[in-house]
Amino acid sequence: MTETPLRTTISAGQLPPVTGEHLLSPVTQAALRIQNNITIATREYLGAHGFMELTPPLIGPVTDPGCRGAKQVDVDFYGHKYKLMTSVILYKQASLLAFDKIFYVAPNVRLEPLETATTGRHLAEFTQIDVEVAGAGREEILDLLQALLRHIVGHVLRESKVNFAALGRDPEAFEPLLRKEFGRMTHTEAVARVRGLSHEQSTDAEINWEGERLISEQTDRPFFIVDYPKGSRGFTDGESRTEPGVLRNFDLIAPGGFGELCSGGEREFEYRRLIERMRETGENPAKYAWYLDIARKGLPSSAGFGLGLERVTRYFAGLDAVWQASAYPKLPGIVSP
Amino acid sequence: MTGIRAPHLPEAAIRARARDGTAAIFPSIAGYGHSLFGAVPGVEPAGDELDLARIVPPVFVPRRLEKLFDLGREPLYGDVDLTSGIGGFAAPVPVFLCAFGSTQVADSGLGLAASGQAGRLGIPMVIGENVVPMHGYGRSGDGPAHGLLGRIRAYADAAPDGLGGVVVQQSTEDADAEVWNLVYSDPSATALVDSGRLAFELKVGQGAKPGLGGMTVLSRAAAVAVSEQYTVDEAFGPDAATVLRSSSPGTFTGEILRQQIHLMRNNYPRARTWVKLHPGRDVRQAAEVAWSAGADAVTVDGAEGGTGWAPSVFLNHVGLPLAECLRRIGKHDATLLVSGRIWEGSRALKCLAMGASAIGLGRAALLAASEDAADGLVRLVRCLELELRLLVSALGKYHVSELTTDDLWFPDHTAHEERGK
C-alpha cells in the first residue's frame, strides 16, 4: 500500500505549534522515531568499537565558552554561581584520565542570539552525541565520524523505512553518503566558495549561517570544513604546531542546505598553551581552576566531536526546521515549555 | 544637587554651563558695555601640555575661500560641520560619553540621567564594565532600573534615528558575568543591534591607573558576595568597615589582543568592536594591533583621565599624559577616541587637531548631570559644540577633520627647539 506522504513543509520563520498539537503531529512522531534509531545505532557502533558511555554532567562552575555569542545559564549552586552545560567539552577531556574512548549523549543549553530563532538550525536546548578519543589526531576522528554516520544511516534506513516513507524522504538521497568519501575543504577554500556565490564572508571568522547553507546546497554528501582560523573558536580547539593561527578542527556540513551537523577537532591540552588560548579568547583563567589543575598535572592529548542529534534527525528526515525534530523545542527567545 | 566632587576640574564653571547653557561660555553679559575684558595680566597659564598649548588661527585662510565658493557668501561659525563618524556610529558632534568609575556609578540616578541625555544628543555612550557587577543586569527584576539594561533602555528611548550608539565594556573578570553575551541576546538591545548602534568595548586598561585593574571600595558584607570573583584586600586596616576590591589588569600580548578582537568580531558580527587602552608607553603599537585586527575604534584615556578611584601614587606618577599619547599615536585614518579632563572646546579642539576623531566626556558629564538631571549634560555639550564651531571657523576651517597640529602652538616645544639650536 502506498500512502501519500505527510505535509512536512513549514513557512520561513514558522514557530512550533502548542505542545499538545506538536506531540500529536505524525511529522513529530516520525521524526522522533528516526531520532530514536539514531541513538540506538550510535550506541551500537561506539559500543562495538570500545567506547565507554558516561552520563553527562549537567552543571558545573564553568562550561564551554566557545559558543558564538550565546549566553550561558547561571545556576545558584548553594550560593556559588554554576552554569548549565553549553557543551561537556571540559568534562570530555577530563574523563580521558579514566578511559581512552568515551561518549555522552548530552543535553546542552545555550541562550543563542535572538536572530538565530529563524535560521531553522538553532535550538536553545538540544542534545549532542559527544565523542572523545585520547591520543587521537584529527584524521582518525574524521574517519571515525564518517564511519559512524554511515553506520547510523544504514541502521536508520533499515529500521525507519516506514517513517522515511511517511515523511516523503527518498532513501536514495543517502546513496552518495554511503558510497563516496566525504568531501573536505579548508576554511580558506570555504570562504572563497561562499564569496564566489556573491555572499559576504570574513576571512577570519566562522562561516556565517547563510554562507554555510549556500555551500551545503551544492553537494550530494556531507563534507568537512577544516582549519578554522584562531579567533573564530574557543580555547579548547587545538592550534596547529606547524601553522600558527590555524586550528586543527573541523565542522561537518550536511548536503542539501541542511548545514552544520557537527564540530570537533584536536584539543589544546598543555597547561601553558591552555592559559595563552584562554587569554586570547578573553577568558579569565581563574574561572577554570579545576580544569587547569588537571591540565597542570597532565591532561591527555585528544580529539573528538559533538554531533547535534536534532540536526542529524532533521537532515535524515528532510525537515525544514530543527524544531520539528524535538519533542519540546525551545527556540531562542521564544517562551515555551 | 548631589554632592559629587571633581577636585581636578573647574567644577564651578562646569556646573554653570550645565545650568545656564551657552550663555556660560561668555563673560557675564551684565558687564557688557561697561567692563573691559582681556586676558588676565600677570597670571601664568597653568596645567598640562594640552592646557598650555594655544590655538593659533592664521591670517590667510584658503579653506575659507573654498567654503565661500560653496556657499556664495562669507562663511560663519554656524557653517562648521561637526558631524562625525565615531567607531562605526554617526554623531552630530565629535563627542561621546565615557564610562563612569564605580565610585560615581554608586550614585545610582546619575548614570540613568546621563544615559537619557546622551541619547537625546545622539552621541555614543559607553557603559562601564563595573555596572553589571555593581548594579546587575536589570533583567527580570534582578536589579534596579539603573542596571545595565535600564541604562540601555533610557538611551535607546531618547536617541534620534540613525544617531549615536551604545558601547558596552567588558574586562577580564567581567567576562565571567558574560556581559556581552547577555546584551547581544537581550530583547532590550534588539533595536540597537538592528540599527547598527551597538558596540562592545574590550577594556584593556584605563587612564587613572595604568597597569592596574579596576578597584572599588566595598563594605565587608558586599565584599563577601564578590570574593569568589575578585581579590579582596584589607588595605584600610583590619578594623575598617570597608575593604578594597581589585580586578586583575588582565594579561595582554600582541597576539592575545589580536585574537580577542577576532573572537569579538566572530561572536558578535552585528556589533561594532571598540578597544580601550591605558596610556602605556607602547600605546601606538597596541592601537595599531587593535585597528589591524578590525577594531572600529580605539579609545585612549590620558593619565589625567578617568573617573576611577586609584591609589594616589598612580594618580600622580603613572602613565603618559594625553598630549604625549596623541603625539606617539599620530594621525591615523582609523577612529581614535580620547578622554582626560575634557569639558570645554579648547582642550577638545587640541585633541582633535592632534589626531583624535572624537573626545569623551567623563567626570564633566557626571557633574553636569548632577547639576541638572534633565538637561545638564545637554547644555554642557551645547556649550562645547558652540566653542568648537567658533574655534574651527576661526582657524579658517569648516570641518573638524581638517584640523592639524599646525593649528596649535606648544610653548614648551618651541623652547626645547630653541635650546637645541
Side-chain angles (χ1 to χ4, degrees), chain A residues 70-71 80 206 230 232 279, chain B residues 181 228 251 255 260 266:
Chain A
K71 170 87 182 70
H80 300 268
E206 288 196 80
K230 195 159 75 159
S232 69
R279 287 304 300 148
Chain B
N181 285 345
E228 269 191 34
T251 303
E255 180 67 357
Q260 287 201 13
N266 183 73

Side-chain angles (χ1 to χ4, degrees), chain B residues 126 167-170 180 199-203 274-276 299:
Chain B
V126 185
V167 187
V168 179
Q169 274 185 354
Q170 184 171 283
W180 292 339
F200 292 136
E201 183 171 76
L202 174 63
K203 187 174 176 183
W274 288 27
V275 174
K276 178 168 187 175
T299 307

Side-chain angles (χ1 to χ4, degrees), chain A residues 69-141:
Chain A
K71 170 87 182 70
Q72 302 169 1
V73 175
D74 296 333
V75 175
D76 182 345
F77 187 71
Y78 302 94
H80 300 268
K81 190 150 103 180
Y82 269 45
K83 303 286 187 179
L84 274 186
M85 287 301 129
T86 53
S87 99
V88 284
I89 176 64
L90 304 177
Y91 293 91
K92 286 208 295 184
Q93 285 184 275
S95 300
L96 299 176
L97 291 174
F99 309 103
D100 284 345
K101 297 160 90 173
I102 58 116
F103 77 101
Y104 296 106
V105 179
N108 300 286
V109 179
R110 299 179 185 172
L111 303 182
E112 300 277 2
L114 299 175
E115 72 215 49
T116 62
T118 53
T119 59
R121 301 178 31 192
H122 289 86
L123 289 171
E125 183 180 69
F126 63 98
T127 306
Q128 270 190 162
I129 296 163
D130 258 309
V131 174
E132 198 70 16
V133 182
R138 184 174 67 193
E139 298 312 306
E140 193 180 333
I141 288 298

Side-chain angles (χ1 to χ4, degrees), chain A residues 67-74 79-81 83 111-115 202 204-206 230-234 239 276 278-285 287, chain B residues 137 139 170 172-173 175-178 181-182 184-187 190 193 228-229 248 250-252 255-256 259-260 262-270 293:
Chain A
C67 307
R68 175 162 49 170
K71 170 87 182 70
Q72 302 169 1
V73 175
D74 296 333
H80 300 268
K81 190 150 103 180
K83 303 286 187 179
L111 303 182
E112 300 277 2
L114 299 175
E115 72 215 49
S202 155
D204 44 27
E206 288 196 80
K230 195 159 75 159
S232 69
R233 291 293 165 92
E239 183 178 1
E276 277 177 347
M278 281 179 180
R279 287 304 300 148
E280 287 169 11
T281 53
E283 291 293 323
N284 177 12
K287 257 187 9 178
Chain B
Y137 299 136
R139 191 183 210 181
Q170 184 171 283
T172 299
E173 274 93 349
D176 304 7
E178 287 193 286
N181 285 345
L182 173 104
Y184 201 65
S185 60
D186 194 276
T190 303
V193 174
E228 269 191 34
Q229 199 181 346
S248 75
T251 303
F252 288 91
E255 180 67 357
I256 289 173
Q259 296 304 336
Q260 287 201 13
H262 283 167
L263 196 71
M264 288 169 75
R265 295 178 55 216
N266 183 73
N267 287 359
Y268 315 107
R270 301 173 73 212

